[in-house]
Amino acid sequence: MPELPEVETIVRQLAEHLPGLRIGEVRITHADLIRESPESFRKALWQAEFVRVLRRGKNVVFELSGAQILLVNLGMTGQLLFGAAEECPEPPPHCALRFSLLPGGTLFYADARRFGRLLRLTPAEWTAESKRLGPEPLGSELTDARFFQGTSKSRSPIRSWLLDQTRIAGIGNIYANEALFRSQVHPARPASSLSEAETALLLASIRIVLEEAIHLQGTTLQDYRTAEGDKGNFGPRLLVYGREGLPCSVCETPVARTVFGNRSAFFCPKCQQEVPSSGL
DNA sequence: AGTGTATCCTGCAGGC
DNA sequence: TGCCTGCAGGATACAC
């Protein structure tokens, strides 16, 4: 579920609380979320201190003392929930890991579907992994020219292109559909068919949608919660995602849904032409 | 190389 | 009420 705005919200909150705290006991109730034995995971993290909390794409990156990285990908339904020291927090539903923090506090990882992953990496491993990912959509390295250079060489549908984390990191199905609507580009159009002007408008739309969603702490459909347990408030601002049959906010044509790449695409059939028509 | 499909897993909504 | 089907924010191992 969580895309860039949701992960950014979680990271900003955890960055306020975690640095300086150390990991004590780790209770693991769903070991399939880590790629090693619970014993080695616990032992490696014992007494490690949180130094920084960062985001890269849809990943939460915990920089720990002892040159360790804890990389968390939330999958569809993962949650990172922080409980302050003075609380005695109940484990959330589907709690998979519980980190007791020193001198006080608790960090839970919960995940109903268990598509998420928690990986311990060395800084070198993380650097290599990060290089696999595409540029950050909100970063200054991603220029209009670089974006167009990427899209112009791919015949895959632009919606699929946007979801490919090796091409651009952090966009998921919600914000891909929303940005395509705002730039009036049909989701199934080959990426290479977009003009330079269209890609510039699309990148601008991506940035506007992501920034606004961050401002509203993300979109909660079902499971997503901030690190403080709150729902995101961007849901009412969605213009096409999940709105099949409802009127387009621009022209009132019913929003359509099609499936490709195993994911639903939502779009306005009038505002987003599959074959862009000149004139009209 | 670059694309598209199937799969991991659980929960929920809607139809009958 | 209850069973069944389809669908869900993601990532990846494969087949073409």
Side-chain angles (χ1 to χ4, degrees):
Chain A
M1 58 136 133
E3 307 181 28
L4 187 154
E6 291 76 30
V7 177
E8 179 67 22
T9 300
I10 291 166
V11 163
R12 287 183 186 181
Q13 292 180 348
L14 292 180
E16 296 230 334
H17 297 298
L18 293 182
L21 299 179
R22 284 171 292 117
I23 296 174
E25 181 197 347
V26 182
R27 192 174 308 170
I28 302 170
T29 48
H30 285 289
D32 52 335
L33 293 167
I34 57 177
R35 294 267 174 88
E36 61 183 305
S37 72
E39 296 71 34
S40 69
F41 187 85
R42 270 192 286 262
K43 189 176 173 190
L45 294 180
W46 173 250
Q47 292 289 339
E49 180 179 329
F50 288 96
V51 177
R52 288 203 296 173
V53 187
L54 309 165
R55 180 191 60 74
R56 174 80 172 96
K58 302 173 192 171
N59 299 286
V60 180
V61 184
F62 294 108
E63 286 185 8
L64 305 174
S65 61
Q68 286 199 88
I69 305 286
L70 179 61
L71 182 66
V72 179
N73 186 291
L74 300 163
M76 291 274 230
T77 53
Q79 303 173 336
L80 279 166
L81 297 161
F82 176 79
E86 51 276 11
E87 300 167 5
C88 183
E90 280 284 295
H94 308 290
C95 185
L97 291 93
R98 172 193 178 130
F99 299 85
S100 294
L101 305 176
L102 307 170
T106 315
L107 180 67
F108 296 104
Y109 180 81
D111 194 341
R113 292 174 73 181
R114 303 204 307 283
F115 286 174
R117 287 290 175 270
L118 294 89
L119 297 176
R120 279 192 317 108
L121 302 174
T122 65
E125 287 170 333
W126 167 235
T127 299
E129 185 62 24
S130 182
K131 275 188 190 155
R132 284 187 52 241
L133 299 174
E136 289 288 328
L138 299 179
S140 55
E141 326 80 70
L142 182 58
T143 59
D144 285 354
R146 183 173 171 188
F147 187 64
F148 178 65
Q149 189 184 8
T151 58
S152 62
K153 284 185 300 201
S154 170
R155 300 192 318 274
S156 84
I158 185 62
R159 199 280 310 264
S160 305
W161 193 96
L162 292 172
L163 295 185
D164 185 341
Q165 301 300 296
T166 68
R167 303 183 134 132
I168 186 168
I171 299 172
N173 203 28
I174 292 179
Y175 301 109
N177 280 284
E178 292 298 309
L180 287 165
F181 172 75
R182 284 162 173 79
S183 51
Q184 303 194 325
V185 173
H186 191 289
R189 279 181 56 194
S192 56
S193 77
L194 273 67
S195 70
E196 192 159 6
E198 284 177 317
T199 60
L201 179 59
L202 175 56
L203 181 54
S205 301
I206 288 168
R207 288 177 165 154
I208 289 168
V209 169
L210 294 179
E211 296 276 17
E212 189 180 346
I214 291 170
H215 182 67
L216 292 172
Q217 303 200 122
T219 304
T220 293
L221 300 178
Q222 303 255 340
D223 304 274
Y224 162 69
R225 292 298 176 304
T226 72
E228 294 169 1
D230 299 315
K231 296 183 179 182
N233 300 312
F234 192 75
R237 307 289 259 269
L238 296 175
L239 299 180
V240 286
Y241 186 89
R243 296 179 55 80
E244 181 183 13
L246 296 172
C248 167
S249 58
V250 173
C251 73
E252 313 237 301
T253 302
V255 170
R257 181 177 79 93
T258 61
V259 177
F260 59 90
N262 262 357
R263 321 287 295 271
S264 288
F266 297 91
F267 60 100
C268 170
K270 187 172 173 195
C271 297
Q272 297 163 273
Q273 300 280 323
E274 183 140 23
V275 180
S277 58
S278 53
L280 277 185

